């Protein structure tokens, strides 16, 4: 990357840092009956921990099964193990990256069942923490930057560490501004000339025409080598601003209305052809009312406008936000449309799909490519299956949003296990075990019951039932994303 590109990337990152600096962190506090006055919440969220892209640093390592952390996402932790308590304490006092830990997804190998670690993770800044009476810690973290795990080890005191490299994020792609606009007639080329002739009685004059004459005529002269390129570009893109990238009806309509005539010109201008006389009065009236400027508004680039839209990060952000609104609804993504990078991470962190699919989204380097994948997932997302036996347990129409964070969120239980769950109001082929309990409920006013797959007996999640008469819905299901299959169709 050249110096100018590096400076632009640094400026863009600094803008994101300033925006996050003034952003208020909202954390829902859950009442705990055994809390005491000595348990004070320490707030650290004003200390930003953005690190230089490409930097290599050593951080305490947190590896979590069933969890994929994205930049900008909130991750609650209940730290019980002494080694991880020491890891948090060291993160609070370290100099190079204060209040920062490295979080990577851990998973079991399908064949050997051995624990594996993802190579791409996220730095997490400790925003709030509280030490409990039993010595454990309640911690609220927020994802900051993507990282690559280079190596990991456990030090002499048993604290897990990792060597990480901060991943260089690319800038949002946008179609070049100078690639489109009004294209003046190209003339004075050597060799053969090509005339695009309007089927009317309007005579086409030579190069000495006035401005008024040019508004009533359409003549673009190009060299023989550019003949095919200009013909295809004009056919497909003269109305690019009204054309959807998935259709080609505009091309067919344009081809039916404009006749391509190849001829040699003389000093007195092109001569009339039988093709001009073959059109009736209706065609004449059509072209009389046509604004010929639209045919001059063609790309100056080789590719038509809709091709650029396929890779324009801002166009993709609009499509993704609109699709999210139609399919999911909450939370609204409209505020991120002008920040495609943040939008891509926000959607990925809330998509109700399997953890392995979300890990793939985290590993994508390009913003536009990540948004394209998310759009495809939103289009194809239909079924929720058990990871072990592939039994269909829910459909997209059964999805229920129970939190302002969206249909998927991370929750931690008293034993320190973090679960990313998606919520539904209706489920198939799940069996309940035990009695409903209200203690440590993630949803105040609801009691929870453990739910297993009726076919393979895998722990799929929980059924939550209302304990108060006025609560709606009366019940809903919470399914662990770690137990959801990758197949969503």
């Amino acid at each position: 990357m050249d110096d100018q590109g590096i400076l632009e990337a640094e400026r863009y990152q600094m803008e994101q840092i300033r925006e996050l600096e003034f952003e208020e962190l909202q954390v829902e506090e859950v009442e705990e009956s055994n809390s005491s006055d000595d348990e004070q919440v320490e707030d650290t969220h004003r200390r930003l921990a953005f690190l230089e892209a490409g930097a290599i640093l050593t951080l305490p390592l947190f590896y979590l099964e069933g969890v994929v952390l994205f930049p900008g996402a909130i991750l609650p932790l209940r730290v019980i193990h002494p080694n991880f308590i020491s890891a948090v304490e060291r993160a609070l006092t370290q100099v190079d990256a204060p209040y920062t830990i490295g979080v990577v997804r851990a998973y079991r190998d399908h064949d050997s069942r051995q624990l594996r670690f993802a190579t791409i993770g996220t730095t997490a800044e400790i925003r709030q923490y509280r030490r409990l009476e039993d010595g454990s810690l309640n911690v609220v973290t927020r994802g900051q930057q993507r990282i690559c795990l280079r190596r990991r080890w456990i030090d002499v005191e048993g604290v897990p560490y990792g060597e990480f490299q901060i991943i260089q994020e690319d800038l949002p792609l946008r179609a070049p501004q100078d690639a489109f606009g009004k294209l003046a007639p190209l003339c004075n080329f050597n060799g053969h000339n090509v005339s695009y002739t309007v089927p009317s009685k309007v005579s086409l004059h030579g190069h000495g025409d006035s401005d008024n004459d040019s508004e009533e005529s359409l003549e673009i002269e190009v060299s023989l080598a550019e003949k095919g390129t200009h013909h295809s570009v004009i056919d497909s893109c003269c109305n690019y601003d009204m054309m959807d990238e998935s259709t080609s009806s505009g091309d067919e309509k344009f081809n039916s209305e404009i006749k391509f005539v190849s001829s040699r010109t003389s000093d007195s201008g092109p001569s009339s052809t039988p093709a001009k006389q073959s059109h009736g009065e209706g065609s004449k009236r059509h072209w009389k009312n046509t604004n010929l400027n639209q045919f001059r508004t063609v790309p100056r680039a080789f590719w038509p406008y809709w091709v650029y839209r396929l890779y324009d990060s801002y166009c993709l952000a609009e499509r993704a936000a609109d699709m999210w609104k139609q399919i999911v609804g909450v939370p609204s993504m409209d505020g991120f449309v002008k920040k495609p990078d943040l939008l891509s991470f926000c959607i990925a962190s809330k998509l109700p799909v399997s953890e392995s699919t979300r890990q793939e989204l985290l590993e994508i380097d390009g913003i536009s490519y990540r948004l394209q994948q998310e759009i495809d997932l939103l289009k194809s997302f239909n079924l929720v299956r058990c990871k072990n036996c592939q039994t269909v347990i829910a459909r997209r129409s059964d999805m229920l949003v129970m939190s302002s964070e969206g249909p998927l969120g991370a929750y931690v239980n008293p034993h320190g296990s973090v679960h990313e769950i998606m919520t539904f109001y209706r489920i198939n082929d799940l069996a309940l075990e035990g009695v409903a309990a209200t203690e440590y409920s993630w949803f105040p006013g609801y009691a929870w019951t453990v739910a297993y797959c009726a076919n393979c007996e895998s722990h799929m999640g929980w059924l939550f039932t209302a304990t108060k008469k006025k609560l709606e819905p009366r019940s809903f299901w919470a399914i662990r994303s770690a137990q959801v299959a990758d197949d969503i169709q």
Side-chain angles (χ1 to χ4, degrees):
M1 181 182 295
D2 55 15
D3 293 341
Q4 184 177 0
I6 294 176
L7 292 175
E8 185 178 1
E10 290 178 350
R11 285 195 298 269
Y12 184 81
Q13 188 179 48
M14 288 302 299
E15 291 176 2
Q16 303 302 317
I17 293 175
R18 294 190 189 100
E19 291 172 1
L20 286 174
E21 185 175 2
F22 294 102
E23 188 180 77
E24 293 295 336
L25 178 68
Q26 297 179 351
V27 180
E28 295 183 359
E29 293 290 344
V30 179
E31 296 182 359
E32 296 187 14
S33 58
N34 59 348
S35 62
S36 66
D37 295 337
D38 295 334
E39 298 172 0
Q40 296 181 354
V41 176
E42 297 290 340
D43 195 344
T44 69
H45 77 275
R46 286 298 180 188
R47 299 181 177 91
L48 296 176
F50 273 86
L51 304 169
E52 182 180 358
I56 298 176
L57 65 158
T58 299
L59 296 174
L61 171 64
F62 276 67
Y63 46 91
L64 304 173
E65 289 191 66
V67 175
V68 180
L69 179 63
F70 285 85
I74 300 299
L75 175 64
L77 297 172
R78 176 72 180 272
V79 186
I80 298 176
H81 198 282
N83 292 346
F84 287 98
I85 293 176
S86 298
V88 172
E89 292 173 344
R90 292 191 187 183
L92 295 175
T93 58
Q94 62 191 0
V95 177
D96 294 339
Y99 304 96
T100 303
I101 59 176
V103 177
V104 297
R105 168 183 171 245
Y107 60 96
R108 298 284 175 180
D109 185 84
H110 181 71
D111 298 323
S112 64
R113 306 305 299 169
Q114 292 183 350
L115 193 63
R116 305 289 186 186
F117 298 87
T119 57
I120 303 298
T122 306
T123 60
E125 184 186 27
I126 298 174
R127 314 300 288 274
Q128 291 180 341
Y129 66 94
R130 180 175 63 181
R131 189 179 299 276
L132 305 180
E133 287 183 341
D134 60 1
S136 62
L137 292 173
N138 277 351
V139 182
V140 176
T141 67
R142 177 172 181 159
Q144 295 290 80
Q145 294 170 277
R146 291 192 308 144
I147 49 178
C148 178
L149 177 62
R150 296 162 58 95
R151 62 189 183 96
R152 57 184 176 84
W153 67 91
I154 297 178
D155 71 0
V156 293
E157 297 181 5
V159 178
Y161 270 95
E163 183 182 76
F164 301 94
Q165 183 172 20
I166 303 297
I167 295 177
Q168 172 72 58
E169 302 289 357
D170 66 342
L171 296 174
L173 297 177
R174 179 172 302 246
Q177 296 294 326
D178 58 350
F180 306 97
K182 289 189 177 182
L183 183 66
L186 303 177
C187 55
N188 297 329
F189 281 94
N190 295 327
H192 295 82
N193 293 328
V194 179
S195 298
Y196 295 88
T197 308
V198 178
S200 67
K201 286 186 177 181
V202 178
S203 61
L204 301 179
H205 304 284
H207 302 309
D209 296 341
S210 64
D211 293 340
N212 293 334
D213 292 336
S214 65
E215 292 298 327
E216 300 175 354
S217 65
L218 176 63
E219 180 178 20
I220 300 177
E221 297 179 350
V222 296
S223 66
L224 185 61
E226 295 174 323
K227 167 182 172 181
T229 299
H230 274 265
H231 183 236
S232 62
V233 167
I234 291 177
D235 279 354
S236 61
C237 304
C238 64
N239 291 320
Y240 66 84
D241 57 332
M242 298 179 293
M243 177 179 177
D244 185 81
E245 58 267 25
S246 61
T247 62
S248 60
S249 59
D251 295 348
E252 298 170 356
K253 181 177 179 181
F254 186 81
N255 285 332
S256 65
E257 292 176 344
I258 295 184
K259 186 176 183 64
F260 179 80
V261 180
S262 179
S263 63
R264 293 181 178 273
T265 59
S266 61
D267 295 337
S268 60
S271 59
S272 299
T273 63
K276 296 180 183 178
Q277 303 172 1
S278 63
H279 295 272
E281 294 297 326
S283 177
K284 298 173 185 177
R285 287 194 299 270
H286 171 79
W287 286 104
K288 184 177 180 180
N289 297 327
T290 299
N291 182 7
L292 300 183
N293 284 331
Q294 64 177 315
F295 300 113
R296 296 189 181 95
T297 310
V298 296
R300 297 189 182 102
F302 179 80
W303 295 109
Y305 180 68
W306 64 266
V307 173
Y308 284 92
R309 285 179 61 90
L310 293 177
Y311 302 94
D312 189 308
S313 300
Y314 294 88
C315 294
L316 291 170
E318 291 180 2
R319 289 184 58 198
D322 289 341
M323 191 168 296
W324 178 272
K325 183 185 299 183
Q326 296 172 10
I327 296 176
V328 181
V330 178
S332 174
M333 298 292 175
D334 295 342
F336 294 104
V337 170
K338 295 183 179 180
K339 305 170 186 176
D341 52 343
L342 299 182
L343 176 67
S344 69
F345 289 135
C346 187
I347 291 180
S349 67
K350 303 178 189 302
L351 269 176
V353 293
S354 68
E355 60 168 318
S356 57
T357 300
R358 294 169 64 244
Q359 178 67 37
E360 292 175 1
L361 292 175
L362 180 65
E363 295 178 359
I364 294 176
D365 289 330
I367 298 172
S368 295
Y369 185 37
R370 188 182 301 114
L371 285 169
Q372 288 173 342
Q373 293 296 100
E374 291 166 355
I375 291 172
D376 291 341
L377 286 172
L378 287 170
K379 286 181 179 178
S380 59
F381 171 57
N382 185 34
L383 302 178
V384 177
R385 303 174 185 270
C386 172
K387 182 178 181 179
N388 295 330
C389 64
Q390 300 297 314
T391 299
V392 176
I393 61 174
R395 298 180 180 275
R396 184 178 73 182
S397 56
D398 302 326
M399 188 170 56
L400 176 69
V401 178
M402 285 297 298
S403 169
S404 60
E405 293 298 315
L408 186 142
Y411 300 84
V412 60
N413 65 18
H415 303 290
S417 299
V418 182
H419 297 283
E420 288 185 326
I421 61 173
M422 53 188 76
T423 49
F424 300 87
Y425 72 88
R426 183 170 55 214
I427 288 291
N428 304 315
D429 293 327
L430 290 192
L432 300 176
E433 182 178 286
V435 296
T438 58
E439 190 178 17
Y440 303 117
S441 177
W442 293 325
F443 300 92
Y446 286 88
W448 53 273
T449 309
V450 178
Y452 291 87
C453 177
N455 294 317
C456 66
E457 299 183 353
S458 300
H459 177 208
M460 296 299 299
W462 302 266
L463 169 66
F464 285 85
T465 53
T467 58
K468 299 179 181 179
K469 294 182 178 180
K470 295 183 179 180
L471 277 180
E472 292 293 340
R474 297 303 301 165
S475 65
F476 64 93
W477 300 79
I479 303 302
R480 300 167 58 206
S481 65
Q483 288 301 122
V484 172
D486 295 338
D487 187 8
I488 58 177
Q489 298 182 353

